[in-house]
Amino acid sequence: GSVPYYDPSVRGAAQGLVWKALSREHWRVFAATGVLKVVHDCIMFSQPLILEQLLHHLNAGRDRWLALGLAGALFAAAMLEAITVNIYFHALFRCEVGCEFAFPHSVSTCLR
């Protein structure tokens, strides 16, 4: 069923009903972007760990191929971080634009 945006019998509860309607309409986008943001944060927090390992390998004079692999992993993590944050913001922006166009129409329909 649909959730009403405004219930005239409940005074002061319009804000809660709007939030409920928006969350019910866009819960998939919110859930997907939440998971994407967690993945982004994990990638972001892994970069200092990779850098630390890379510096240890370079200072110790150990295997240069492993250091090259760590440098490649650091580069890949930076690229994945940029891609995931861009997808995250793009998805939320599209959701916001959809709400921006749908919300005034639904309010004007309810107030008629």
Side-chain angles (χ1 to χ4, degrees), residues 14-24 30:
Q15 180 74 21
L17 291 175
V18 170
W19 172 249
K20 185 186 272 189
L22 288 175
S23 64
R24 228 183 232 187
F30 294 150

Side-chain angles (χ1 to χ4, degrees), residues 1-2 14-15 17 22 25 36 41 43 45 59 63 72 78 88 93 96 109:
S2 66
Q15 180 74 21
L17 291 175
L22 288 175
E25 177 70 23
L36 188 63
D41 290 345
I43 293 169
F45 290 131
N59 287 336
D63 186 14
Y88 169 77
F93 175 75
E96 176 195 2
T109 303

Side-chain angles (χ1 to χ4, degrees), residues 3-103:
V3 176
Y5 287 102
Y6 178 72
D7 184 0
S9 65
V10 181
R11 295 187 64 84
Q15 180 74 21
L17 291 175
V18 170
W19 172 249
K20 185 186 272 189
L22 288 175
S23 64
R24 228 183 232 187
E25 177 70 23
H26 300 287
W27 72 269
R28 287 180 188 90
V29 174
F30 294 150
T33 54
V35 168
L36 188 63
K37 185 63 173 152
V38 168
V39 169
H40 167 264
D41 290 345
C42 290
I43 293 169
M44 185 178 67
F45 290 131
S46 73
Q47 291 178 22
L49 300 174
I50 297 170
L51 181 61
E52 180 184 20
Q53 290 300 313
L54 175 62
L55 293 175
H56 283 305
H57 279 283
L58 290 176
N59 287 336
R62 292 192 221 159
D63 186 14
R64 296 291 178 175
W65 288 107
L66 184 57
L68 183 63
L70 287 169
L74 187 61
F75 176 76
M79 291 299 106
L80 280 174
E81 179 189 3
I83 290 169
T84 55
V85 78
N86 281 320
I87 292 170
Y88 169 77
F89 282 118
H90 180 73
L92 287 181
F93 175 75
R94 287 180 53 116
C95 183
E96 176 195 2
V97 168
C99 291
E100 223 172 78
F101 288 115
F103 183 68

